Structures are given as C-alpha cells and as structure tokens.
Amino acid sequence: MEFAPTIQNILDQTSLKWIFVGGKGGVGKTTCSCSIAAQLSKVRESVLLISTDPAHNLSDAFDQKFGRDPTLVKGFPNLYAMEIDPDTAVEMGIAATKSLGASNGMMAQLASMLGTAIPGIDEASSFAQMMSLVQKMPYSVVVFDTAPTGHTLRLLHMPEVLSTGITKLLGLKSGLFGQLGAMLGLSEEADILGGLEQLKGTIETISAQFKDPDTTTFVCVCIAEFLSLYETERLVQELTKMSLDTHNIIVNQLVNPSDCELCSARSAIQGKYLGQMVDLYEDFHLIRLPLLPREVRGPENIKQFSEMLVTPVPFARPAAAAAAAPK
C-alpha cells in the first residue's frame, strides 16, 4: 500500500480533535503547524492554533500579535491563535474557574500547592488545567505548535505523572488533608478529596483522548540530515510507547539539484537521508517540502505554503533517494 505524500488523510479525518506538531528545533515546526491549521480551516467549522513553546513564534509567523486569549487570525474567517506557557496554566485555571464554583478554583490551587510534595506534579497539573480549559472552548479541532522534542515528550508524559501523583496523595493519611484544608480555607476533608478526584478525572479523560487515534494524532517535522532523522526516530519510538498515533512526517527544507555546486552538494546529502526515511517510514505519509528563497511570513504566504501540504511538490531527487523510493 502506497501512502500519499500529503496531509489529506488528516483533513479527511473529521473525528480528530487534537493535532500535535513537533520535532527538532529549527526545522520549521511553526511554519508547518500554521500551514496545517490553514488547510484545516478550509474543511472545519473552526480551528484553534496554540503555541505551547515558551519561545513563541506564532505572532512572527502571521505577523500579528497573539496572547493568552484566542484571537482571530487576519485573513481567515475561522482560524484562531493563542500563545500560552503551560507553566502558567494553573493561574489561568484559577482565574477562569472562579465563576464556576469554589471546587473548581480550589482544584487548581490544590494542585499548585502540592507541587513541591511530588516532583513534576505542578507542571503536570498546569498542563491538565490548560487542556481542561481548551477542551471547553468551542473549536472543532485544535492544533498544537509544540516546543522542541525533549520538552514536547515531557509535556505528553504529564497525564501519567499527574495520575501517579494524585494516586499517591489519595493514599496519604487524612491528617495531611486537614492541614491542607486549613491552608486553602476548606473546612471539610471531603472537599480536598473531591478536588483531587475531580483533577484526576480530568486528566484521565485527556489521557484517554490522547491515546485514541480517532481523536489525536502527532505530525513529526524534520529535515533530511542525520541529527534530525535520529531525533525523529526517537520521537516516533516514544510516541509509539505512549500509544499516541503518528502517521505523518513532514520533511522540510529540501533542495533541488542544480548548476549551483552548493545546492547540488546539499541535495546529494539530503537524498541520502531521504532515502533512509523512505525505508524507515514506509507506512507513513512522507510529505516533502522545499527550501524557499524567502521567509514564509504573513497570512497570504502561509496560505500559499500550505498548498504544498496537499499538492505534492516535484523534486529532481538524487540517485541516493531515487534508488530507495518504493517501486
């Protein structure tokens, strides 16, 4: 079976709710995530693009300022973008849930205060709060422009970290909950237990959605070089261990051979690694994108660039890549 070198499979899968885009730093993840979101806006009622990278680039890509709140992207009728740091999501959760009752706000505060008790639970609870808030927003699909691979893998491991941490907390003696209750202004131990159970329920729901291929997929972005290929393989292996679906890889910044000696040399090197990718990922949609002589910046340029995700670009590939291509 031959897999089309496009993201058409993602556009056709209307059940998808969460689409993560990630890979090694400097390979063009933000441009690709913006382009995927642009294509999705053609077939979905509404699309939300979120940057979870502390070094946000969405504002630069669209040449428009974005912040914590979803903002309509200029030039699109139904594409929204926001830039948030998962580490600040607990504070966002507290502010957003005050009107919904004390237990919701308390849930965020409790997770924040317990951060020093169990390593990693503060960051994990921040992620849970962020996902809980996003889940309640009225968008048909959400695209995540993630940080480089290491940070992203840690982000995706957070449901497991949080679930483990809460299970440990629920097994502690009641005296600790009484002390926490006094600190949070809660008179009943049941309030704390209820808050923990509520937080655990939220993260279990998110975790189940992440592992459902009908709901979630991960798009890997790389370039045809050794280090990027190595990191992509590590990412694919880790995603597989976590039961997260991934079947699309974007190979960015490819150079066509030409009379330019440097271009031909680069093309030959890329051809070698592209051939290895064809062998390694024969059951993936391998999308090839060219290196352009200009920046892809602004809504119109992103729209033009995004067309290459659905209409394959012809490449005069070197012999190393051509020999490895499927017959």
Side-chain angles (χ1 to χ4, degrees):
M1 179 180 178
E2 188 173 346
F3 291 81
T6 70
I7 64 162
Q8 191 61 50
N9 60 307
I10 291 177
L11 302 180
D12 293 340
Q13 191 176 343
T14 56
S15 62
L16 282 175
K17 174 67 176 177
W18 314 108
I19 300 173
F20 291 87
V21 182
K24 191 177 185 296
V27 299
K29 294 186 302 296
T30 297
T31 300
C32 290
S33 62
C34 292
S35 298
I36 291 171
Q39 284 297 318
L40 284 167
S41 70
K42 294 181 178 182
V43 297
R44 293 294 194 98
E45 183 177 351
S46 59
V47 180
L48 177 62
L49 175 60
I50 298 179
S51 170
T52 60
D53 188 346
H56 300 300
N57 291 310
L58 294 185
S59 295
D60 293 330
F62 283 110
D63 198 18
Q64 177 182 347
K65 181 63 178 175
F66 300 112
R68 286 184 174 185
D69 300 316
T71 302
L72 183 65
V73 179
K74 294 176 182 177
F76 294 87
N78 60 342
L79 172 58
Y80 297 79
M82 60 189 294
E83 296 179 332
I84 55 176
D85 184 347
D87 294 340
T88 66
V90 166
E91 286 73 15
M92 290 175 62
I94 294 172
T97 55
K98 279 183 178 178
S99 61
L100 300 178
S103 62
N104 290 293
M106 181 272 292
M107 179 178 70
Q109 295 178 60
L110 180 60
S112 179
M113 294 185 69
L114 290 171
T116 56
I118 298 179
I121 197 174
D122 53 344
E123 192 176 13
S125 62
S126 298
F127 178 69
Q129 288 298 313
M130 179 190 74
M131 293 299 299
S132 180
L133 291 173
V134 171
Q135 199 169 31
K136 295 172 185 175
M137 294 178 180
Y139 301 99
S140 55
V141 62
V142 181
V143 180
F144 290 89
D145 175 37
T146 68
T149 306
H151 187 279
T152 298
L153 289 174
R154 189 170 74 251
L155 195 75
L156 294 173
H157 271 297
M158 285 181 184
E160 180 182 347
V161 172
L162 187 56
S163 180
T164 301
I166 291 177
T167 300
K168 289 181 179 179
L169 287 172
L170 291 173
L172 295 177
K173 294 181 179 180
S174 60
L176 175 62
F177 292 115
Q179 296 174 16
L180 287 172
M183 294 170 66
L184 292 171
L186 302 171
S187 58
E188 298 293 334
E189 181 177 313
D191 289 337
I192 297 177
L193 291 172
L196 287 171
E197 291 289 358
Q198 184 180 354
L199 185 59
K200 186 178 180 181
T202 298
I203 203 63
E204 286 178 347
T205 299
I206 293 170
S207 181
Q209 289 187 359
F210 278 8
K211 294 179 181 180
D212 182 358
D214 291 331
T215 306
T216 304
T217 193
F218 196 106
V219 179
C220 302
V221 182
C222 66
I223 56 177
E225 293 181 0
F226 172 76
L227 289 178
S228 185
L229 172 59
Y230 176 82
E231 191 156 318
T232 299
E233 176 60 14
R234 182 170 70 92
L235 176 59
V236 169
Q237 293 294 333
E238 285 296 323
L239 292 172
T240 302
K241 288 179 185 177
M242 296 164 63
S243 301
L244 265 70
D245 176 76
T246 178
H247 48 259
N248 287 75
I249 296 177
I250 297 175
V251 187
N252 198 18
Q253 302 176 14
L254 290 173
V255 179
N256 260 320
S258 69
D259 293 335
C260 166
E261 183 179 354
L262 176 61
C263 296
S264 294
R266 290 296 303 162
S267 179
I269 293 172
Q270 290 180 339
K272 170 187 174 182
Y273 293 111
L274 185 60
Q276 293 179 19
M277 290 180 189
V278 170
D279 287 338
L280 273 173
Y281 306 113
E282 59 183 2
D283 55 348
F284 278 66
H285 296 269
L286 205 61
I287 301 99
R288 302 164 176 86
L289 297 178
L291 176 67
L292 299 180
R294 63 185 183 280
E295 286 185 316
V296 182
R297 189 178 183 192
E300 293 308 314
N301 285 329
I302 287 174
K303 286 179 183 179
Q304 291 177 18
F305 187 81
S306 74
E307 290 300 318
M308 292 187 286
L309 293 174
V310 293
T311 304
V313 179
F315 283 97
R317 291 175 293 163
K327 307 299 182 185

